[in-house]
Amino acid sequence: MLQIALDAMGGDHAPAPEIEGALLAARQLGVKVLLVGQPDRLYPALRGAGWTTEPIEILPAREVVAMDETARQSIRTKRDSSLRVGIEALRQGLAVGFVSAGNTGAIVAAATLWLGTIPGIARPALATVLPTLSGRGTLLLDIGANADCKPAMLDQFAVMGAAYVEQILGVERPRVGLLSIGEESVKGNALTREAHALLCQHAPQRNFTFVGNVEGRDIYTGAVDVIVCDGFTGNIVLKTSEGLATALLTMLQEAWRQSTPPSRDTVAGLQQVRTRFDYAEYGGALLLGVPQPVIVAHGRSTGRAIYNAIRVAQEAHLRRLSHQIAADPAVVAMLHHPHRNGVVQDLSGLA
Amino acid sequence: MLQIALDAMGGDHAPAPEIEGALLAARQLGVKVLLVGQPDRLYPALRGAGWTTEPIEILPAREVVAMDETARQSIRTKRDSSLRVGIEALRQGLAVGFVSAGNTGAIVAAATLWLGTIPGIARPALATVLPTLSGRGTLLLDIGANADCKPAMLDQFAVMGAAYVEQILGVERPRVGLLSIGEESVKGNALTREAHALLCQHAPQRNFTFVGNVEGRDIYTGAVDVIVCDGFTGNIVLKTSEGLATALLTMLQEAWRQSTPPSRDTVAGLQQVRTRFDYAEYGGALLLGVPQPVIVAHGRSTGRAIYNAIRVAQEAHLRRLSHQIAADPAVVAMLHHPHRNGVVQDLSGLA
């Protein structure tokens, strides 16, 4: 039976949603969940949630990484954290995937440091699915693992994102766009112009379609399946979207408060849209580029969201996502010339 | 009487909105409008719009820069365009301000090339006011004039943005934030970390408050008056916001279509919010950093929007915006060491 490690102490409301998600996964997915955390808190909580014979095992870890800790600090000082023990289970082959709703920066740093990257991959990237008008989500990466990127990194993000939407979301020959300012190849900044050239150069050997530059206004139409950008830009896009969605819906409610109260259907419609854009509902982020699946669930994850994250980790393992990424010709070439594009692994940006 | 030059051929629906705006301005603002364009088209249109004795003069220009032309192309080949003639009127002191609803890239390139920058300012920046929850707008710059920026440029954008909101929007001691990913000074990319240090270093000498890093989610709250970023990031923020606002409101309408039709008040509320986020309604962008006021009105500008742009140009002149920018200690220092931060003027990014 496949084993998935789950950080039971990471989320904002841990361990209740983690335990609920673990029970759902153990019952429905045919996996065994390794619940990582403090046994004296987890045993009573598990029993209280109705645990009897479901395949769940507790992996003891004394410490917890706080949400406001820097990655550097947590990695240096907390050697027995649930994050460290969970990643270690993955590294030793005890688990085939790892899920945590904890501190994103710490998870990325710990996974990169202790698991390394897929051979040929310079840096892992964080990816998340955004809702679109077409109904089909768009995968955006990197959303914050790498604030400063080299062109070759964006080229690799395209490979990783395409592999994910193909294998996990079932999109055949995904359409991949490069986030820039203007559709022509000469538009953009120095980074995107060089990345554009690399993506064009590698396009004939690949099993995804590079459509060229896309703009900010294309993100929510669903015109492409994957959008790549540096982690600074991706994070700004994500936070701006969260802020704007909140502002718009608040303004709508204010506009209605000044007139007659809206009908029940109106409120239901608003709620439906809000849910579609809710980061917590839509799930967290995937760390692509490390050898084993690591899923960063949202800090406010529900039990259902944790269950979904475990399901994604299982699928990513079964579909050999990292093998597909490692087989890309440009990634293989990078393996043989690791310093060619100056993208040597460097953890300094994470802490 | 102050004279303002207006590109009569620039906008998507030129020259009708331009003529309407010129008549409004000539009647209400006490300025004379120099309408730049093809006389054989403008005279009949002016007369058709009711022009009698209003102070409007036609400045002949044979050519028109198209919306899809590159800046380089239009500057090189169209020596008698309405853009060129309008900027030339500004340069020669015939006009004290210039307004165009034409091709943004071409306007920025032409103004930078032919007017130069305010002494000490490395590069001009495009700024626009975004609506916020607090009701007070936030000025975002740069939104696209400079895809690649140096830290000293972001420091100067803060000076220019603060001068604008203080003099034109009447905000006393404006609050200025640096757009980044995480509030701590160590967060962000190489550019924002260095810009943060410069802004802190210069803060004691300035008449605005640098509040440190702000995140994407702070843009629409109105927590700060000015947000500075590089032109790539700013343009992505703007386009993402346009796309998301459209997607959200479309989703709401779809959600309602599946239930009972919304009430008239509901539709009015939606319309109110849509208007608040409509780029066309909210006006265009200001080019800050050139010696005379240049206003880039939106391509879909109405007559009212053109009138407002002329009003802003007049105010910027009367309030001596460029003098306040030139008086900033860090800008003065740059004047004496123009190559210190490697921010020598370079037009290559505009074409």
Side-chain angles (χ1 to χ4, degrees), chain B residues 78-347:
Chain B
K78 296 195 172 164
R79 313 299 290 183
D80 192 31
S81 69
S82 55
L83 171 58
R84 171 75 191 268
V85 173
I87 297 274
E88 190 58 23
L90 205 53
R91 202 180 65 80
Q92 294 181 355
L94 193 62
V96 300
F98 176 62
V99 171
S100 175
N103 180 323
T104 305
I107 300 169
V108 172
T112 311
L113 191 63
W114 293 322
L115 301 178
T117 56
I118 292 170
I121 290 290
R123 292 273 310 172
L126 276 171
T128 196
V129 177
L130 296 172
T132 70
L133 272 179
S134 74
R136 207 157 106 166
T138 294
L139 189 78
L140 181 72
L141 78 165
D142 175 25
I143 58 162
N146 312 280
D148 288 289
C149 287
K150 305 278 182 188
M153 288 164 67
L154 267 56
D155 181 63
Q156 296 193 334
F157 296 170
V159 173
M160 303 196 293
Y164 180 83
V165 301
E166 191 185 329
Q167 296 300 334
I168 309 293
L169 305 182
V171 178
E172 266 182 64
R173 207 174 165 81
R175 293 165 55 81
V176 179
L178 174 67
L179 188 60
S180 190
I181 58 170
E183 287 174 10
E184 305 84 352
S185 62
V186 298
K187 291 289 178 74
N189 58 16
L191 172 67
T192 62
R193 282 196 301 273
E194 285 184 53
H196 191 284
L198 274 183
L199 282 159
C200 285
Q201 182 193 322
H202 297 153
Q205 311 154 20
R206 283 177 167 162
N207 48 3
F208 61 84
T209 303
F210 174 56
V211 302
N213 287 349
V214 296
E215 292 196 80
R217 66 166 69 101
D218 303 315
I219 295 175
Y220 295 102
T221 58
V224 293
D225 303 300
V226 177
I227 296 181
V228 296
C229 60
D230 66 89
F232 181 87
T233 304
N235 197 271
I236 298 273
V237 162
L238 207 67
K239 299 284 175 64
T240 300
S241 299
E242 280 187 55
L244 178 54
T246 303
L248 262 173
L249 297 176
T250 307
M251 285 177 190
L252 261 180
Q253 288 177 311
E254 274 171 15
W256 287 328
R257 201 168 301 142
Q258 287 156 16
S259 60
T260 51
S263 71
R264 212 164 55 186
D265 276 340
T266 298
V267 173
L270 192 66
Q271 196 52 47
Q272 192 179 324
V273 169
R274 192 192 286 277
T275 305
R276 211 156 147 193
F277 268 90
D278 190 324
Y279 193 87
E281 287 281 332
Y282 224 82
L286 331 148
L287 186 64
L288 293 168
V290 289
Q292 291 96 346
V294 171
I295 316 288
V296 187
H298 196 282
R300 297 187 304 265
S301 285
T302 58
R304 191 84 210 157
I306 296 288
Y307 160 82
N308 273 322
I310 294 172
R311 190 180 50 76
V312 169
Q314 180 191 21
E315 294 245 324
H317 170 77
L318 291 174
R319 295 186 178 264
R320 301 163 63 89
L321 204 59
S322 56
H323 290 72
Q324 176 168 340
I325 293 169
D328 179 81
V331 173
V332 172
M334 187 71 85
L335 181 60
H336 298 128
H337 307 281
H339 295 267
R340 185 162 56 178
N341 292 285
V343 286
V344 185
Q345 193 173 303
D346 169 22
L347 265 182

Side-chain angles (χ1 to χ4, degrees), chain A residues 333-348:
Chain A
M334 187 72 84
L335 182 61
H336 298 130
H337 307 280
H339 296 266
R340 185 162 55 177
N341 291 285
V343 286
V344 184
Q345 191 171 305
D346 170 22
L347 265 182
S348 61

Side-chain angles (χ1 to χ4, degrees), chain A:
Chain A
M1 189 181 261
L2 288 180
Q3 305 198 132
I4 308 276
L6 169 64
D7 178 355
M9 319 304 288
D12 293 348
H13 308 294
E18 281 80 356
I19 282 173
E20 191 192 329
L23 281 167
L24 278 172
R27 281 169 197 155
Q28 295 178 24
L29 297 176
V31 299
K32 178 170 175 178
V33 179
L34 305 180
L35 210 53
V36 193
Q38 298 160 336
D40 53 338
R41 284 186 66 192
L42 295 179
Y43 273 117
L46 259 175
R47 276 191 221 99
W51 178 46
T52 51
T53 60
E54 292 89 350
I56 294 178
E57 187 185 319
I58 291 175
L59 222 57
R62 210 169 21 89
E63 293 170 299
V64 176
V65 174
M67 282 295 186
D68 55 0
E69 254 173 294
T70 67
R72 200 173 292 222
Q73 187 184 353
S74 64
I75 284 176
R76 282 198 188 145
T77 61
K78 296 195 171 163
R79 311 300 289 184
D80 192 30
S81 69
S82 54
L83 171 58
R84 170 75 192 267
V85 172
I87 296 275
E88 190 58 25
L90 205 54
R91 202 181 65 80
Q92 293 181 354
L94 193 62
V96 300
F98 176 62
V99 171
S100 174
N103 180 324
T104 304
I107 300 169
V108 172
T112 310
L113 190 65
W114 293 321
L115 300 177
T117 55
I118 292 170
I121 291 289
R123 292 274 308 172
L126 275 171
T128 196
V129 178
L130 297 172
T132 71
L133 272 179
S134 73
R136 208 156 106 165
T138 294
L139 189 77
L140 180 73
L141 76 165
D142 174 26
I143 56 162
N146 312 280
D148 289 289
C149 288
K150 305 278 184 188
M153 288 164 67
L154 267 55
D155 181 63
Q156 296 193 334
F157 296 170
V159 174
M160 304 197 292
Y164 180 84
V165 300
E166 190 185 330
Q167 296 300 332
I168 309 293
L169 305 183
V171 178
E172 266 181 62
R173 204 171 169 85
R175 293 164 55 81
V176 179
L178 174 66
L179 189 59
S180 190
I181 58 171
E183 286 173 10
E184 305 84 352
S185 61
V186 297
K187 291 289 178 74
N189 57 16
L191 172 67
T192 62
R193 281 196 301 271
E194 285 184 52
H196 191 283
L198 274 183
L199 283 159
C200 286
Q201 181 192 323
H202 298 153
Q205 312 155 15
R206 283 176 168 162
N207 48 3
F208 61 85
T209 303
F210 174 57
V211 302
N213 287 349
V214 296
E215 292 196 81
R217 66 167 70 101
D218 303 315
I219 296 175
Y220 294 103
T221 58
V224 294
D225 304 299
V226 178
I227 297 180
V228 296
C229 60
D230 66 89
F232 182 87
T233 304
N235 196 271
I236 298 274
V237 163
L238 206 68
K239 299 282 174 66
T240 299
S241 299
E242 281 188 54
L244 178 54
T246 302
L248 262 174
L249 297 176
T250 307
M251 285 176 188
L252 261 180
Q253 287 178 311
E254 274 170 16
W256 287 326
R257 201 169 301 141
Q258 287 158 15
S259 60
T260 51
S263 70
R264 213 165 55 187
D265 274 342
T266 298
V267 174
L270 191 67
Q271 197 51 49
Q272 191 179 322
V273 171
R274 193 194 287 276
T275 306
R276 209 153 148 197
F277 269 90
D278 190 325
Y279 194 87
E281 286 281 331
Y282 224 83
L286 330 148
L287 186 65
L288 293 167
V290 290
Q292 291 96 347
V294 171
I295 316 288
V296 186
H298 196 282
R300 298 187 303 265
S301 285
T302 58
R304 192 83 209 160
I306 296 288
Y307 159 83
N308 273 322
I310 294 173
R311 189 180 51 74
V312 169
Q314 180 192 20
E315 293 245 323
H317 169 77
L318 291 175
R319 295 186 178 263
R320 303 163 64 88
L321 204 58
S322 56
H323 289 72
Q324 176 168 341
I325 294 169
D328 178 82
V331 173
V332 172
M334 187 72 84
L335 182 61
H336 298 130
H337 307 280
H339 296 266
R340 185 162 55 177
N341 291 285
V343 286
V344 184
Q345 191 171 305
D346 170 22
L347 265 182
S348 61
L350 297 171

